[in-house]
Amino acid sequence: MGTTATVEIADPLPAARLAELADEVFAFLREVDARFSTFRADSEVCRLNAGDRFEPSPVLREVLARCTALWQQTNGYFDVYATGRLDPSGFVKGWAVQVASDRLLAAGAANHCVDAGGDVRVRGRSPSGQPWRVGIRHPFARDAVCGVLAGTDLAVATSGVYERGPHVLDPFTGTAARGLRSVTVVGPDLGEADALATAALAMGPAGIAWLSTLDGYTSAVVTDDGRFLCSQTLPLAD
């Protein structure tokens, strides 16, 4: 998926079992990349964009159905066709990490952190026995954070322009959205949080008020002029 993924499992399991669980996560993420990559010519996404005729996999159908529901939920601002070609990346990375975390939980690893390029799913407690702490990267200072979240069951997704520049398009104008430097959304489902963060970034400043209407999700925003705004219920560490 063009990014680095890390897995940390804090359960007191045998080393061989820990390695096996981590290997299963990475194998799943590689499978997701092979299916949804927008760069690999043999991925299902690229084949659809090329006009190939084939039967889409059940997984692809599930993801596209979720993306359609999110398009409706965001009033069209989360649009997998915003660039004119199918690109579900704004949902897939968060969804993949969520599924990986769900699988770890089902396998008996109740205390873990899965992170793929800043999309983070934590459950249980860290190796120290304390709640996990997740930094919100500062979009103007690469080695700094503008806030730290703490919790035992968090899905944290951030969409920003600090690495690739203004690349998230306003689907209604076709131009790069401006006004927000980064958007972080926190809630129960990482795939949905990822898409909501992308949608808010595409809305520009109007996304700030829209985020406050979301049920079950809290958020933090850094504007282009350097303001840090967050929900009162955002689980910031003390």
Side-chain angles (χ1 to χ4, degrees):
M1 291 179 280
T3 190
T4 299
T6 62
V7 179
E8 185 171 7
I9 302 172
D11 295 272
L13 299 171
R17 179 56 176 158
L18 291 172
E20 180 182 30
L21 289 171
D23 286 346
E24 289 173 358
V25 169
F26 292 125
F28 170 69
L29 295 178
R30 285 191 290 269
E31 176 187 328
V32 170
D33 184 55
R35 191 180 303 280
F36 292 98
S37 171
T38 57
F39 303 101
R40 299 172 57 154
D42 60 345
S43 76
E44 286 193 70
V45 166
C46 284
R47 290 181 63 194
L48 282 177
N49 282 325
D52 289 357
R53 298 178 63 87
F54 67 98
E55 183 66 24
S57 67
V59 173
L60 178 61
R61 290 182 181 276
E62 174 194 346
V63 164
L64 294 183
R66 291 282 302 274
C67 288
T68 297
L70 286 160
W71 176 79
Q72 296 171 329
Q73 181 181 348
T74 61
N75 301 315
Y77 276 96
F78 178 75
D79 188 346
V80 296
Y81 288 99
T83 63
R85 295 170 61 81
L86 174 63
D87 182 0
S89 302
F91 171 78
V92 164
K93 184 153 65 73
W95 166 81
V97 173
Q98 178 70 42
V99 172
S101 173
D102 291 345
R103 291 184 176 185
L104 284 173
L105 183 64
N111 303 279
H112 62 260
C113 171
V114 184
D115 178 356
D119 283 349
V120 183
R121 189 68 171 92
V122 297
R123 280 184 159 120
R125 294 184 177 272
S126 69
S128 69
Q130 299 299 310
W132 295 94
R133 295 169 67 90
V134 180
I136 300 175
R137 178 174 162 181
H138 198 300
F140 293 101
R142 186 177 182 84
D143 297 326
V145 296
C146 54
V148 177
L149 308 172
T152 57
D153 188 6
L154 299 175
V156 183
T158 297
S159 182
V161 300
Y162 41 80
E163 287 189 345
R164 297 169 56 191
H167 66 284
V168 175
L169 300 182
D170 177 338
F172 296 99
T173 66
T175 60
R178 298 183 182 275
L180 304 183
R181 188 77 173 178
S182 71
V183 176
T184 297
V185 174
V186 183
D189 182 89
L190 190 56
E192 186 166 338
D194 198 6
L196 297 175
T198 300
L201 196 69
M203 292 178 191
I208 298 172
W210 177 77
L211 286 166
S212 68
T213 69
L214 298 177
D215 185 25
Y217 289 86
T218 57
S219 59
V221 169
V222 179
T223 64
D224 282 352
D225 58 5
R227 291 175 296 146
F228 177 74
L229 309 170
C230 68
S231 307
Q232 290 185 346
T233 54
L234 191 73
L236 291 169
D238 296 331

